[in-house]
Amino acid sequence: MPYIKYFSLFMLMAMQSNHNYPLKNNNSFNIKASCSHIYFPSNLAELQQLPDLTATNFYILGEGSNTLFVEENAPVIIQPKFHGINIDEQAEHFLVTVGAAENWHDLVCFCLEKGINGLENLALIPGSVGAAPVQNIGAYGVEFADFCDEIQWYEFASKTLHTLVKEDCDFAYRESIFKHAFYNKGLITHVSFKFPKAWQPNLSYAGLDSLVKTSSATEVMNQVIALRSSKLPDPKVLPNAGSFFKNPVVSAVEFTQLQQRFPDIPHYPQANGEVKLAAAWLIDQAGLKGFRHQEVGVHQQQALVLVNYGSDLGCDIISLAKYVQRIVNKKFSVMLTPEVRMISAEGEQSFITLNDANPIGKLHHD
């Protein structure tokens, strides 16, 4: 295993906490929750010391930027602490191997400082490197999968590390094998990227098409940061999890019917003939941008972002999300699906199964 040098030979005494561990600072919605046990494995030996989890509800937590604790009690938490960045320069490309606990945006900046281009379109996406392949994060015409080379994945059952090549990971739009066949069967320790030295900027997405074709990677990154900062609230100032909903994908027939009713609807044809829609536009056109209900709301500048103005309860965000889903579906006959992962004491839950304890009534703006 080529990356074994990352692992320490010494166990950290602080790997496990048996107390009621507070998680409010471990989720960007700033929701109050706690767990009975939390583990911070930082090397192979510590992973192998984890208890048998087959009969336990647990959740693998990164930085909590795509997580909503829907109840005050959370399951057992595993928060990997694998750090380090290794660069292997070859004739035509760079191979960069990164610990799962490294911050994603910091990695983007680090690569550009080292003259390694490719991730600039993915700047300012919150979260850890290890979470990126799970969701196959993407923005401004680029996806994580575009540069993925290998994933180091620890399997709980065999207590061994496996090397997965890109083709093993079943990457699709906001999808991967880690959300399906490999779900809760292991965790990612390291991610390896392959960046060709022959680089050209990807300026195809709206907002970047104003840049000249000779723009540097740093100029592209700065533009992405400016665009994201102008629309997306800083979760440290106004708690949120970034884009709450996925951009829905509809059939060609469904899109034709929608376009007849809404000629200006933004759309992105897919290779398989389906059409991706802009969830933010749907929410905005449904009159929900800036909508607020008590201590939660839809952001005033980016309708795709749900924000927490001061609630401690995940169920308040759930009620808001289900309200947005209902209103959009009523207007467009399109059902929005959250990107954010819903965590209860029993582990991750499907959004559709979550109870809306206090449904939001008629549309109103505070």
Side-chain angles (χ1 to χ4, degrees):
M1 194 71 61
Y3 308 122
I4 199 73
K5 61 186 178 182
Y6 283 99
F7 301 131
S8 168
L9 297 177
F10 300 99
M11 297 290 291
L12 290 183
M13 297 299 292
M15 186 181 81
Q16 177 180 353
S17 169
N18 287 303
H19 302 292
N20 222 23
Y21 191 89
L23 295 166
K24 188 169 184 177
N25 294 328
N26 285 272
N27 72 96
S28 61
F29 264 121
N30 207 32
I31 292 297
K32 185 180 290 186
S34 62
C35 61
S36 61
H37 291 75
I38 188 165
Y39 300 90
F40 304 102
S42 62
N43 53 57
L44 179 58
E46 290 179 350
L47 284 173
Q48 293 171 334
Q49 290 296 315
L50 288 172
D52 181 7
L53 298 167
T54 54
T56 304
N57 296 317
F58 69 95
Y59 179 64
I60 301 166
L61 180 67
E63 295 186 3
S65 60
N66 197 45
T67 298
L68 175 61
F69 292 109
V70 300
E71 298 174 350
E72 189 173 344
N73 293 322
V76 169
I77 298 292
I78 305 173
Q79 191 172 42
K81 294 296 184 182
F82 290 81
H83 288 281
I85 302 175
N86 184 68
I87 299 173
D88 180 10
E89 182 174 2
Q90 301 190 3
E92 296 183 354
H93 56 263
F94 295 97
L95 291 177
V96 181
T97 301
V98 189
E102 296 290 341
N103 177 268
W104 177 263
H105 179 67
D106 289 348
L107 171 66
V108 176
C109 296
F110 175 86
C111 286
L112 264 61
E113 289 170 2
K114 298 294 183 181
I116 303 172
N117 302 335
L119 297 182
E120 53 281 345
N121 292 52
L122 304 180
L124 218 59
I125 294 179
S128 64
V129 170
V134 177
Q135 192 76 354
N136 187 23
I137 61 172
Y140 295 100
V142 175
E143 288 184 334
F144 166 88
D146 296 337
F147 297 101
C148 177
D149 186 46
E150 293 180 350
I151 304 288
Q152 298 296 310
W153 182 75
Y154 176 79
E155 184 180 26
F156 294 139
S158 64
K159 296 190 175 184
T160 57
L161 278 169
H162 297 270
T163 299
L164 307 173
V165 299
K166 174 181 175 179
E167 290 71 24
D168 295 329
C169 297
D170 295 345
F171 290 124
Y173 174 64
R174 301 299 182 269
E175 293 286 355
S176 73
I177 196 170
F178 307 106
K179 294 177 71 174
H180 299 283
F182 284 5
Y183 177 72
N184 271 11
K185 294 181 179 179
L187 58 79
I188 294 167
T189 67
H190 293 83
V191 176
S192 294
F193 301 86
K194 188 174 185 178
F195 300 107
K197 290 184 176 179
W199 171 86
Q200 288 186 329
N202 184 335
L203 308 176
S204 59
Y205 208 87
L208 300 183
D209 48 7
S210 61
L211 295 174
V212 297
K213 294 181 179 180
T214 56
S215 296
S216 68
T218 299
E219 289 171 332
V220 175
M221 181 180 74
N222 290 339
Q223 179 75 349
V224 168
I225 290 173
L227 288 167
R228 291 183 69 91
S229 298
S230 68
K231 296 186 293 184
L232 300 173
D234 184 347
K236 295 177 182 177
V237 178
L238 186 57
N240 71 91
S243 299
F244 193 91
F245 296 100
K246 299 178 185 178
N247 287 323
V249 179
V250 300
S251 68
V253 172
E254 289 173 306
F255 172 70
T256 299
Q257 294 171 345
L258 280 167
Q259 194 175 40
Q260 289 173 351
R261 294 170 55 206
F262 308 99
D264 297 331
I265 186 170
H267 59 283
Y268 308 93
Q270 304 297 291
N272 64 358
E274 295 180 323
V275 181
K276 185 188 296 184
L277 307 177
W281 186 87
L282 299 175
I283 297 168
D284 188 3
Q285 293 299 307
L288 293 170
K289 182 187 282 188
F291 170 77
R292 178 168 175 171
H293 179 73
Q294 298 177 1
E295 294 302 311
V296 297
V298 179
H299 192 246
Q300 294 180 344
Q301 293 174 282
Q302 173 50 273
L304 198 51
V305 177
L306 304 188
V307 296
N308 181 12
Y309 292 106
S311 175
D312 284 332
L313 304 176
C315 61
D316 289 344
I317 302 291
I318 293 300
S319 292
L320 174 64
K322 287 186 176 288
Y323 179 65
V324 171
Q325 189 184 60
R326 288 196 303 272
I327 297 298
V328 169
N329 189 48
K330 182 178 180 180
K331 184 176 180 67
F332 296 101
S333 297
V334 173
M335 187 64 72
L336 297 180
T337 303
E339 280 192 40
V340 175
R341 303 172 72 179
M342 313 290 163
I343 312 303
S344 75
E346 287 73 45
E348 186 165 3
Q349 305 295 317
S350 169
F351 181 71
I352 197 170
T353 65
L354 294 175
N355 182 42
D356 187 357
N358 296 294
I360 298 174
K362 64 179 183 178
L363 176 67
H364 68 277
H365 293 266
D366 287 356

